[in-house]
Amino acid sequence: MTSTCIYHFLVLSWYIFLNYNILEEGENQQKSRLFQNGGPWKFLTLVNLLLQAIFYGVACLEDVLKRIQRKKSIKFVTAFRDLLFTPLAFPMSTFVLLSFWALFLYDRELVFPEALDDAFPKWYLHASHTVIFPLSLTEVILSPHCYPRRKIGLTILAAFSIAYISRVLWIYSETGTWVYPVFGKLSPVGLAVFFSLSFLLTVGIYLLGERLNHWKWGDKKQLMEKRN
């Protein structure tokens, strides 16, 4: 219990630092120009960093309330924490890792042009695209999470995906520029295929997270017994 609390606090502090770092533009004009149309949260990577900070903030709140009330579970906060992690925080961190590095290794100009190296140092590149996955995986191992009914979980995931894709398309319609260069290389049909395959990948990741949670913590009945 204590180790989990410490872990949540340390990871929350890490994500607060990463989010603060990206907002602290300072004199970096290149970063300012990059965020000019749509702000920093037009990038899925940065949306994910904010999402992770919110999740670990709720996890820390739950830890504090458990200690104050001396209970193993605070129903509303625990349920909210699980709804943040199971269909959103775990799938998004894993998707960002897989999609970013797949495109980067194929042709980095499609997702992170070399010209951006001066704006984002290598440590930040790995902090926002690599470290996110082992942190989420550690969360699966340290804390039991109650997955919602699959239909509900996938609906939340689909709503998040549609909202982000809609924002990407709206930014393009308003500014004539794509959030990621790879989108500009695709035809309308190619974009539809790309977005569809990306969503199917996140569904697969969601199901993987469900299996990992079941493997570590058992079925829902066993999970509730461990919390009570």
Side-chain angles (χ1 to χ4, degrees), residues 2-18 56 60 63 135:
T2 302
S3 61
T4 303
C5 293
I6 294 173
Y7 176 75
H8 286 158
F9 176 75
L10 291 176
V11 179
L12 172 62
S13 301
W14 172 244
Y15 278 121
I16 289 175
F17 166 72
L18 292 181
Y56 283 102
C60 282
D63 293 336
L135 290 179

PDB file of all heavy atoms in Angstrom, residues 2-18 56 60 63 135:
ATOM      1  N   THR A   2       1.876   1.308   0.916  1.00  0.00           N
ATOM      2  CA  THR A   2       2.747   2.473   1.019  1.00  0.00           C
ATOM      3  C   THR A   2       3.567   2.655  -0.245  1.00  0.00           C
ATOM      4  O   THR A   2       3.724   3.768  -0.746  1.00  0.00           O
ATOM      5  CB  THR A   2       3.680   2.334   2.236  1.00  0.00           C
ATOM      6  OG1 THR A   2       2.894   2.183   3.420  1.00  0.00           O
ATOM      7  CG2 THR A   2       4.552   3.575   2.371  1.00  0.00           C
ATOM      8  N   SER A   3       4.066   1.540  -0.780  1.00  0.00           N
ATOM      9  CA  SER A   3       4.873   1.625  -2.000  1.00  0.00           C
ATOM     10  C   SER A   3       4.045   2.140  -3.171  1.00  0.00           C
ATOM     11  O   SER A   3       4.537   2.913  -4.000  1.00  0.00           O
ATOM     12  CB  SER A   3       5.476   0.254  -2.336  1.00  0.00           C
ATOM     13  OG  SER A   3       4.455  -0.704  -2.563  1.00  0.00           O
ATOM     14  N   THR A   4       2.781   1.734  -3.238  1.00  0.00           N
ATOM     15  CA  THR A   4       1.895   2.206  -4.297  1.00  0.00           C
ATOM     16  C   THR A   4       1.645   3.699  -4.164  1.00  0.00           C
ATOM     17  O   THR A   4       1.636   4.433  -5.170  1.00  0.00           O
ATOM     18  CB  THR A   4       0.552   1.449  -4.261  1.00  0.00           C
ATOM     19  OG1 THR A   4       0.790   0.049  -4.377  1.00  0.00           O
ATOM     20  CG2 THR A   4      -0.346   1.887  -5.399  1.00  0.00           C
ATOM     21  N   CYS A   5       1.435   4.175  -2.956  1.00  0.00           N
ATOM     22  CA  CYS A   5       1.223   5.609  -2.720  1.00  0.00           C
ATOM     23  C   CYS A   5       2.440   6.415  -3.159  1.00  0.00           C
ATOM     24  O   CYS A   5       2.305   7.451  -3.819  1.00  0.00           O
ATOM     25  CB  CYS A   5       0.956   5.870  -1.239  1.00  0.00           C
ATOM     26  SG  CYS A   5      -0.598   5.209  -0.616  1.00  0.00           S
ATOM     27  N   ILE A   6       3.613   5.930  -2.779  1.00  0.00           N
ATOM     28  CA  ILE A   6       4.851   6.620  -3.154  1.00  0.00           C
ATOM     29  C   ILE A   6       5.016   6.630  -4.663  1.00  0.00           C
ATOM     30  O   ILE A   6       5.387   7.650  -5.260  1.00  0.00           O
ATOM     31  CB  ILE A   6       6.065   5.945  -2.479  1.00  0.00           C
ATOM     32  CG1 ILE A   6       5.997   6.123  -0.964  1.00  0.00           C
ATOM     33  CG2 ILE A   6       7.376   6.519  -3.025  1.00  0.00           C
ATOM     34  CD1 ILE A   6       7.054   5.346  -0.207  1.00  0.00           C
ATOM     35  N   TYR A   7       4.708   5.488  -5.288  1.00  0.00           N
ATOM     36  CA  TYR A   7       4.816   5.398  -6.749  1.00  0.00           C
ATOM     37  C   TYR A   7       3.883   6.401  -7.423  1.00  0.00           C
ATOM     38  O   TYR A   7       4.300   7.129  -8.329  1.00  0.00           O
ATOM     39  CB  TYR A   7       4.481   3.975  -7.206  1.00  0.00           C
ATOM     40  CG  TYR A   7       4.473   3.830  -8.709  1.00  0.00           C
ATOM     41  CD1 TYR A   7       5.666   3.779  -9.433  1.00  0.00           C
ATOM     42  CD2 TYR A   7       3.264   3.764  -9.425  1.00  0.00           C
ATOM     43  CE1 TYR A   7       5.653   3.660 -10.816  1.00  0.00           C
ATOM     44  CE2 TYR A   7       3.250   3.642 -10.804  1.00  0.00           C
ATOM     45  CZ  TYR A   7       4.449   3.588 -11.490  1.00  0.00           C
ATOM     46  OH  TYR A   7       4.442   3.494 -12.852  1.00  0.00           O
ATOM     47  N   HIS A   8       2.645   6.444  -6.977  1.00  0.00           N
ATOM     48  CA  HIS A   8       1.679   7.380  -7.568  1.00  0.00           C
ATOM     49  C   HIS A   8       2.142   8.824  -7.413  1.00  0.00           C
ATOM     50  O   HIS A   8       2.023   9.628  -8.349  1.00  0.00           O
ATOM     51  CB  HIS A   8       0.298   7.198  -6.921  1.00  0.00           C
ATOM     52  CG  HIS A   8      -0.407   5.973  -7.359  1.00  0.00           C
ATOM     53  ND1 HIS A   8      -1.420   5.383  -6.615  1.00  0.00           N
ATOM     54  CD2 HIS A   8      -0.267   5.203  -8.475  1.00  0.00           C
ATOM     55  CE1 HIS A   8      -1.862   4.314  -7.261  1.00  0.00           C
ATOM     56  NE2 HIS A   8      -1.177   4.181  -8.379  1.00  0.00           N
ATOM     57  N   PHE A   9       2.662   9.162  -6.243  1.00  0.00           N
ATOM     58  CA  PHE A   9       3.109  10.536  -6.005  1.00  0.00           C
ATOM     59  C   PHE A   9       4.306  10.886  -6.885  1.00  0.00           C
ATOM     60  O   PHE A   9       4.351  11.981  -7.474  1.00  0.00           O
ATOM     61  CB  PHE A   9       3.478  10.724  -4.530  1.00  0.00           C
ATOM     62  CG  PHE A   9       4.040  12.082  -4.223  1.00  0.00           C
ATOM     63  CD1 PHE A   9       3.194  13.189  -4.163  1.00  0.00           C
ATOM     64  CD2 PHE A   9       5.401  12.258  -4.021  1.00  0.00           C
ATOM     65  CE1 PHE A   9       3.710  14.450  -3.904  1.00  0.00           C
ATOM     66  CE2 PHE A   9       5.915  13.517  -3.755  1.00  0.00           C
ATOM     67  CZ  PHE A   9       5.070  14.614  -3.698  1.00  0.00           C
ATOM     68  N   LEU A  10       5.262   9.971  -7.003  1.00  0.00           N
ATOM     69  CA  LEU A  10       6.453  10.230  -7.814  1.00  0.00           C
ATOM     70  C   LEU A  10       6.103  10.374  -9.298  1.00  0.00           C
ATOM     71  O   LEU A  10       6.596  11.274  -9.984  1.00  0.00           O
ATOM     72  CB  LEU A  10       7.485   9.108  -7.629  1.00  0.00           C
ATOM     73  CG  LEU A  10       8.156   9.031  -6.259  1.00  0.00           C
ATOM     74  CD1 LEU A  10       9.081   7.819  -6.192  1.00  0.00           C
ATOM     75  CD2 LEU A  10       8.932  10.318  -5.960  1.00  0.00           C
ATOM     76  N   VAL A  11       5.220   9.496  -9.784  1.00  0.00           N
ATOM     77  CA  VAL A  11       4.840   9.566 -11.199  1.00  0.00           C
ATOM     78  C   VAL A  11       4.001  10.812 -11.469  1.00  0.00           C
ATOM     79  O   VAL A  11       4.153  11.457 -12.523  1.00  0.00           O
ATOM     80  CB  VAL A  11       4.085   8.290 -11.632  1.00  0.00           C
ATOM     81  CG1 VAL A  11       3.670   8.391 -13.089  1.00  0.00           C
ATOM     82  CG2 VAL A  11       4.970   7.072 -11.441  1.00  0.00           C
ATOM     83  N   LEU A  12       3.117  11.176 -10.536  1.00  0.00           N
ATOM     84  CA  LEU A  12       2.348  12.415 -10.684  1.00  0.00           C
ATOM     85  C   LEU A  12       3.292  13.608 -10.776  1.00  0.00           C
ATOM     86  O   LEU A  12       3.126  14.472 -11.654  1.00  0.00           O
ATOM     87  CB  LEU A  12       1.399  12.598  -9.506  1.00  0.00           C
ATOM     88  CG  LEU A  12       0.677  13.965  -9.442  1.00  0.00           C
ATOM     89  CD1 LEU A  12      -0.209  14.171 -10.662  1.00  0.00           C
ATOM     90  CD2 LEU A  12      -0.135  14.075  -8.158  1.00  0.00           C
ATOM     91  N   SER A  13       4.293  13.661  -9.913  1.00  0.00           N
ATOM     92  CA  SER A  13       5.269  14.757  -9.934  1.00  0.00           C
ATOM     93  C   SER A  13       6.007  14.800 -11.267  1.00  0.00           C
ATOM     94  O   SER A  13       6.262  15.876 -11.820  1.00  0.00           O
ATOM     95  CB  SER A  13       6.270  14.592  -8.784  1.00  0.00           C
ATOM     96  OG  SER A  13       5.606  14.574  -7.536  1.00  0.00           O
ATOM     97  N   TRP A  14       6.345  13.626 -11.796  1.00  0.00           N
ATOM     98  CA  TRP A  14       7.041  13.526 -13.085  1.00  0.00           C
ATOM     99  C   TRP A  14       6.185  14.089 -14.215  1.00  0.00           C
ATOM    100  O   TRP A  14       6.663  14.891 -15.029  1.00  0.00           O
ATOM    101  CB  TRP A  14       7.401  12.072 -13.330  1.00  0.00           C
ATOM    102  CG  TRP A  14       7.950  11.753 -14.695  1.00  0.00           C
ATOM    103  CD1 TRP A  14       7.381  10.959 -15.639  1.00  0.00           C
ATOM    104  CD2 TRP A  14       9.193  12.201 -15.252  1.00  0.00           C
ATOM    105  NE1 TRP A  14       8.175  10.888 -16.754  1.00  0.00           N
ATOM    106  CE2 TRP A  14       9.295  11.627 -16.556  1.00  0.00           C
ATOM    107  CE3 TRP A  14      10.221  13.024 -14.795  1.00  0.00           C
ATOM    108  CZ2 TRP A  14      10.383  11.861 -17.394  1.00  0.00           C
ATOM    109  CZ3 TRP A  14      11.309  13.265 -15.631  1.00  0.00           C
ATOM    110  CH2 TRP A  14      11.389  12.690 -16.899  1.00  0.00           C
ATOM    111  N   TYR A  15       4.913  13.711 -14.243  1.00  0.00           N
ATOM    112  CA  TYR A  15       4.043  14.186 -15.317  1.00  0.00           C
ATOM    113  C   TYR A  15       3.712  15.672 -15.171  1.00  0.00           C
ATOM    114  O   TYR A  15       3.541  16.373 -16.181  1.00  0.00           O
ATOM    115  CB  TYR A  15       2.768  13.354 -15.384  1.00  0.00           C
ATOM    116  CG  TYR A  15       2.963  12.055 -16.133  1.00  0.00           C
ATOM    117  CD1 TYR A  15       2.735  10.824 -15.518  1.00  0.00           C
ATOM    118  CD2 TYR A  15       3.391  12.058 -17.455  1.00  0.00           C
ATOM    119  CE1 TYR A  15       2.929   9.639 -16.211  1.00  0.00           C
ATOM    120  CE2 TYR A  15       3.581  10.872 -18.152  1.00  0.00           C
ATOM    121  CZ  TYR A  15       3.355   9.670 -17.529  1.00  0.00           C
ATOM    122  OH  TYR A  15       3.560   8.502 -18.220  1.00  0.00           O
ATOM    123  N   ILE A  16       3.623  16.175 -13.955  1.00  0.00           N
ATOM    124  CA  ILE A  16       3.442  17.610 -13.757  1.00  0.00           C
ATOM    125  C   ILE A  16       4.646  18.356 -14.305  1.00  0.00           C
ATOM    126  O   ILE A  16       4.516  19.384 -14.988  1.00  0.00           O
ATOM    127  CB  ILE A  16       3.229  17.936 -12.264  1.00  0.00           C
ATOM    128  CG1 ILE A  16       1.850  17.443 -11.807  1.00  0.00           C
ATOM    129  CG2 ILE A  16       3.360  19.436 -12.015  1.00  0.00           C
ATOM    130  CD1 ILE A  16       1.600  17.619 -10.321  1.00  0.00           C
ATOM    131  N   PHE A  17       5.830  17.828 -14.028  1.00  0.00           N
ATOM    132  CA  PHE A  17       7.060  18.447 -14.542  1.00  0.00           C
ATOM    133  C   PHE A  17       7.077  18.459 -16.073  1.00  0.00           C
ATOM    134  O   PHE A  17       7.415  19.470 -16.689  1.00  0.00           O
ATOM    135  CB  PHE A  17       8.278  17.687 -14.003  1.00  0.00           C
ATOM    136  CG  PHE A  17       9.554  18.022 -14.711  1.00  0.00           C
ATOM    137  CD1 PHE A  17      10.178  19.248 -14.519  1.00  0.00           C
ATOM    138  CD2 PHE A  17      10.145  17.114 -15.587  1.00  0.00           C
ATOM    139  CE1 PHE A  17      11.355  19.571 -15.183  1.00  0.00           C
ATOM    140  CE2 PHE A  17      11.316  17.417 -16.256  1.00  0.00           C
ATOM    141  CZ  PHE A  17      11.931  18.660 -16.055  1.00  0.00           C
ATOM    142  N   LEU A  18       6.691  17.339 -16.703  1.00  0.00           N
ATOM    143  CA  LEU A  18       6.692  17.268 -18.168  1.00  0.00           C
ATOM    144  C   LEU A  18       5.691  18.245 -18.770  1.00  0.00           C
ATOM    145  O   LEU A  18       5.978  18.913 -19.772  1.00  0.00           O
ATOM    146  CB  LEU A  18       6.382  15.837 -18.629  1.00  0.00           C
ATOM    147  CG  LEU A  18       7.428  14.770 -18.333  1.00  0.00           C
ATOM    148  CD1 LEU A  18       6.967  13.417 -18.868  1.00  0.00           C
ATOM    149  CD2 LEU A  18       8.774  15.134 -18.940  1.00  0.00           C
ATOM    150  N   TYR A  56      -2.970  10.125 -12.544  1.00  0.00           N
ATOM    151  CA  TYR A  56      -2.171   9.933 -11.337  1.00  0.00           C
ATOM    152  C   TYR A  56      -2.562  10.907 -10.236  1.00  0.00           C
ATOM    153  O   TYR A  56      -2.383  10.615  -9.042  1.00  0.00           O
ATOM    154  CB  TYR A  56      -0.678  10.023 -11.669  1.00  0.00           C
ATOM    155  CG  TYR A  56      -0.172   8.757 -12.320  1.00  0.00           C
ATOM    156  CD1 TYR A  56       0.029   8.687 -13.685  1.00  0.00           C
ATOM    157  CD2 TYR A  56       0.064   7.610 -11.561  1.00  0.00           C
ATOM    158  CE1 TYR A  56       0.456   7.509 -14.293  1.00  0.00           C
ATOM    159  CE2 TYR A  56       0.495   6.433 -12.150  1.00  0.00           C
ATOM    160  CZ  TYR A  56       0.688   6.391 -13.517  1.00  0.00           C
ATOM    161  OH  TYR A  56       1.101   5.212 -14.110  1.00  0.00           O
ATOM    162  N   CYS A  60      -3.585   9.550  -6.625  1.00  0.00           N
ATOM    163  CA  CYS A  60      -3.047  10.082  -5.370  1.00  0.00           C
ATOM    164  C   CYS A  60      -4.172  10.512  -4.433  1.00  0.00           C
ATOM    165  O   CYS A  60      -4.089  10.294  -3.216  1.00  0.00           O
ATOM    166  CB  CYS A  60      -2.129  11.268  -5.662  1.00  0.00           C
ATOM    167  SG  CYS A  60      -0.482  10.818  -6.245  1.00  0.00           S
ATOM    168  N   ASP A  63      -5.489   7.475  -2.800  1.00  0.00           N
ATOM    169  CA  ASP A  63      -4.562   7.001  -1.769  1.00  0.00           C
ATOM    170  C   ASP A  63      -4.727   7.795  -0.477  1.00  0.00           C
ATOM    171  O   ASP A  63      -4.745   7.223   0.628  1.00  0.00           O
ATOM    172  CB  ASP A  63      -3.111   7.120  -2.263  1.00  0.00           C
ATOM    173  CG  ASP A  63      -2.808   6.185  -3.417  1.00  0.00           C
ATOM    174  OD1 ASP A  63      -3.508   5.161  -3.560  1.00  0.00           O
ATOM    175  OD2 ASP A  63      -1.861   6.474  -4.188  1.00  0.00           O
ATOM    176  N   LEU A 135       5.788   2.994 -17.275  1.00  0.00           N
ATOM    177  CA  LEU A 135       5.074   3.561 -16.121  1.00  0.00           C
ATOM    178  C   LEU A 135       3.653   3.022 -16.055  1.00  0.00           C
ATOM    179  O   LEU A 135       3.155   2.669 -14.975  1.00  0.00           O
ATOM    180  CB  LEU A 135       5.057   5.086 -16.215  1.00  0.00           C
ATOM    181  CG  LEU A 135       6.397   5.804 -16.009  1.00  0.00           C
ATOM    182  CD1 LEU A 135       6.236   7.309 -16.154  1.00  0.00           C
ATOM    183  CD2 LEU A 135       6.997   5.465 -14.650  1.00  0.00           C
TER     184      LEU A 135
END
